[in-house]
Amino acid sequence: MPIRLVVSDVDGTLVTPEKTLTPATVAAVERLRARGIAFTVASSRPPVGLRPLVAALGLTLPMGAFNGSTLVGPDLAVIAEAFVPEAAARTAAARFAEAGIDLWVFADGAWWLRDPAGPYTDLERRTLQAEPRVAADLAPLLDRAAKLVGVSRDAAGLAACETALAAELGSGAAVHRSQTYYLDVTPPGADKGRFVARLARDLGIPAAEVATLGDMANDVAMFEASGLGIAMGNAADAVKRAARAVTAGNDADGFARAVARYVLGEGG
């Protein structure tokens, strides 16, 4: 089937490990546009973290922030949003504290944390091109959180926390790592796959004519909602098995290569 819509994850997929867009990636998006193929992104980032992509890639369609649970336009105006149920948010915060995992809360349009010098804070500043707000107590934010993030340099420990917390919360929240060092807790029933399905429906495009690209477990739902799921070369084996195709890594223009080979049929 010809592809009429492409939806890409951002970190680990569209951008390099240094969080930049390569010339090849920008050119690939331009070629999609020239062929009349729609393009947008679904990301674990908050809306503000998508702003740099809008200008660089000329995005005009709605985007899925917070793993698809918040829909925003290219002007970052909120189209629809959901929040983590308070009980689930408080349980997650407690489990992070017990495990010695730093907590970030995205609420009231801002990124909140306790320690501005904590793990990966500088990386997130560069990624979002935004500054966090510091609060000694994050508990008052947990009744209106769009996303909670557990942050840790202990990848194995965070993976274990992911498994345990997902089992404890069940259908009360979505629990997935968006990076090996970030564990996202987002609203239930509002994942990247549902974002893709909604957008395709709004555009009148069958799922079979949608291609999606990603690298983490939270991207598998996009693969399931599209006719062509493409895993990055840097993805875990389980993510690759869930995809129909595998491209190069995000350190080797994997996105651009996938567009050329699997979407545009240009080879490469």
Side-chain angles (χ1 to χ4, degrees):
M1 296 290 291
I3 298 299
R4 296 170 56 198
L5 170 65
V6 176
V7 181
S8 178
D9 169 53
V10 177
D11 298 292
T13 302
L14 191 67
V15 299
T16 69
E18 292 74 36
K19 309 297 183 179
T20 61
L21 292 164
T22 68
T25 292
V26 174
V29 173
E30 290 174 349
R31 293 202 306 280
L32 289 174
R33 186 178 299 113
R35 293 274 290 270
I37 300 171
F39 175 77
T40 192
V41 297
S43 174
S44 65
R45 293 186 183 190
V48 67
L50 303 177
R51 187 188 302 278
L53 303 175
V54 175
L57 300 175
L59 303 183
T60 60
L61 290 177
M63 301 173 290
F66 297 133
N67 291 327
S69 63
T70 293
L71 274 65
V72 296
D75 60 354
L76 303 190
V78 173
I79 298 169
E81 63 182 338
F83 300 101
V84 180
E86 183 177 355
R90 296 196 181 281
T91 296
R95 299 298 172 264
F96 291 160
E98 292 166 3
I101 295 169
D102 278 23
L103 171 65
W104 295 348
V105 178
F106 290 86
D108 299 339
W111 162 35
W112 298 85
L113 45 69
R114 296 189 186 94
D115 181 5
Y120 299 102
T121 303
D122 284 343
L123 174 63
E124 193 73 355
R125 283 189 176 98
R126 294 194 301 273
T127 299
L128 302 184
Q129 298 183 26
E131 284 293 317
R133 295 188 185 182
V134 179
D137 184 9
L138 300 176
L141 300 167
L142 298 181
D143 63 347
R144 56 190 185 279
K147 182 175 77 163
L148 283 73
V149 184
V151 184
S152 177
R153 293 190 175 95
D154 179 4
L158 201 62
C161 183
E162 176 185 21
T163 300
L165 185 59
E168 181 174 3
L169 294 182
S171 61
V175 181
H176 293 290
R177 280 176 298 157
S178 57
Q179 301 291 329
T180 56
Y181 42 83
Y182 291 162
L183 177 54
D184 294 350
V185 179
T186 51
D191 57 27
K192 291 184 179 183
R194 287 179 171 84
F195 166 74
V196 170
R198 172 177 174 164
L199 181 62
R201 182 175 63 250
D202 290 348
L203 295 175
I205 298 174
E209 298 177 13
V210 179
T212 55
L213 297 94
D215 72 306
M216 293 294 290
N218 62 337
D219 297 316
V220 171
M222 290 202 299
F223 299 166
E224 294 171 347
S226 62
L228 176 58
I230 305 169
M232 300 298 290
N234 47 287
D237 287 344
V239 176
K240 292 177 180 176
R241 288 194 296 269
R244 288 189 59 189
V246 178
T247 185
N250 70 322
D251 59 351
D253 278 324
F255 171 85
R257 293 186 183 191
V259 167
R261 179 176 182 181
Y262 299 114
V263 179
L264 300 179
E266 298 173 345

